[in-house]
Amino acid sequence: MQVTTSGNQGSSMRQRVTLTLVPLIAVILTVTTIFRNELLDALDWLKRPVDSKSDSCPSGYFRLEGMKDCMPWLSCEMIQSEVAVIEPIGQGAVKQVFLGHWKGNRVVLSRLAASKFSDDFFHGLEMLKGLQSAHVVKLLGFCEEDPTILTEYHPFGSLANVDSVLEQEGQGDFNTWEVRFQLALEYARFLRYLHNSPLGPRVMCDSNDLIKTLSQYLLTTDLHVLANDLDALPLVNRSAGVLVKCGHRQLQGDFVAPEQLWPFGNTVPFSDHLMPPYDEKTDIWKVPDVTDFLLGQVEGSDVVRLHLFQLHQDCKRHKPQLRPSMLTVVQTYKAVYNSLTQESELFGIRTEMLHEL
């Protein structure tokens, strides 16, 4: 009897100790998780500062994977003599796009498609040169005499391909709300960078519908987002009273911001001269739609949507001045991501400990 009682007392004590340790471990885990997330986030911003050049190369230089040293952007002569064109991979109004090969690396050559679009082509080149950073596709060289732009190749292509990439066999471990939310966060970070860029506040004008917007970005093989097509980034200069208009045609549909729509109804024929200009808040109107697409329909994505509901409601305010800044969007995304990953890890630990009891 005494032996039995002793065993029961020992078991009871172990349970009390375990029950005492569970909240303690949870507290320790919470603090550790918060510190880890803040550290990782800080390191991420150190690696991807908005005013730095990708891979720490100085302006006018680049470095591809496997290259030890930075080298200058390739000149006309070097592009013509060292880059082999393999096959066409894209065609737009402004550019013809080809897959190329340079010193063991696959590269992308973009050539002017029609001379009437030369202003757009060279605007895109200037934006690529001036916005080189961890947010933008890597510029490798260019030729103004024979209008050509050389950039890094990313085989996954447009960000519009995210579902087909993540849903293919072998990518199941990456088709999660965490990975998808990170893509949305990187998209938001680029817009924050664009609205505070070294070239002044810019508006992403090639964004009249969802697929067109997604096609302006690339999905890398390590699942990051890079801005790629920068042919239409007009400048907002509030101090000079300069706002923008995205093209000279009438825009329609729910995807574009209300201020981009013709405000005078059907009674007055559309006139570009009468169309009021607008600013970068048009980009913020479109953020909820892009994020909704990127989140997809994976487990946990609806929980993310619920946590972002109020922010996205604010992004959709009809008065542009009432919409949040991209800094607020990025900060909220980061806070929600950290909170949800912390909750997910705590739930996993609790479940594990209950199984062990």
Side-chain angles (χ1 to χ4, degrees), residues 178-346:
E178 292 95 336
V179 170
R180 286 174 170 273
F181 196 8
Q182 280 293 333
L183 295 178
L185 179 54
E186 291 193 6
Y187 159 74
R189 279 174 168 160
F190 168 72
L191 287 182
R192 180 199 169 188
Y193 173 57
L194 189 67
H195 294 175
N196 301 273
S197 85
L199 303 180
R202 299 278 169 170
V203 178
M204 194 68 164
C205 265
D206 273 344
S207 56
N208 297 337
D209 59 63
L210 177 61
I211 298 303
K212 180 66 173 176
T213 302
L214 293 167
S215 71
Q216 309 306 299
Y217 302 87
L218 295 171
L219 178 64
T220 69
T221 52
D222 55 352
L223 302 180
H224 291 286
V225 176
L226 294 175
N228 178 54
D229 194 338
L230 308 180
D231 296 343
L233 302 181
L235 175 68
V236 174
N237 188 342
R238 286 188 182 80
S239 61
V242 176
L243 300 178
V244 308
K245 287 187 280 189
C246 291
H248 305 287
R249 298 179 182 178
Q250 183 176 358
L251 301 179
Q252 296 178 332
D254 296 331
F255 186 80
V256 296
E259 63 270 27
Q260 292 184 278
L261 300 174
W262 178 241
F264 303 115
N266 297 325
T267 56
V268 180
F270 176 80
S271 166
D272 182 49
H273 176 69
L274 296 176
M275 179 68 197
Y278 35 83
D279 62 16
E280 71 273 17
K281 292 287 187 175
T282 58
D283 290 333
I284 296 167
W285 170 275
K286 300 161 188 174
V287 165
D289 299 292
V290 175
T291 294
D292 183 65
F293 175 85
L294 294 175
L295 287 175
Q297 298 300 322
V298 298
E299 182 180 356
S301 62
D302 284 342
V303 176
V304 178
R305 289 182 177 92
L306 182 63
H307 281 76
L308 297 178
F309 180 80
Q310 186 56 57
L311 173 70
H312 285 173
Q313 286 285 96
D314 293 340
C315 291
K316 289 292 187 179
R317 291 185 179 272
H318 277 246
K319 291 184 178 180
Q321 63 270 25
L322 297 180
R323 293 173 204 152
S325 68
M326 281 311 303
L327 174 60
T328 299
V329 173
V330 168
Q331 289 176 334
T332 305
Y333 275 24
K334 287 163 62 180
V336 170
Y337 180 85
N338 287 341
S339 174
L340 290 178
T341 51
Q342 176 186 326
E343 289 178 15
S344 179
E345 290 183 11
L346 281 172

Side-chain angles (χ1 to χ4, degrees), residues 6-7 11 16 28 37 81 107-108 130 141 162 199 215 217 243 259 348:
S6 175
S11 175
R16 287 198 298 272
I28 294 171
N37 285 337
S81 63
V107 295
V108 174
V162 64
L199 303 180
S215 71
Y217 302 87
L243 300 178
E259 63 270 27

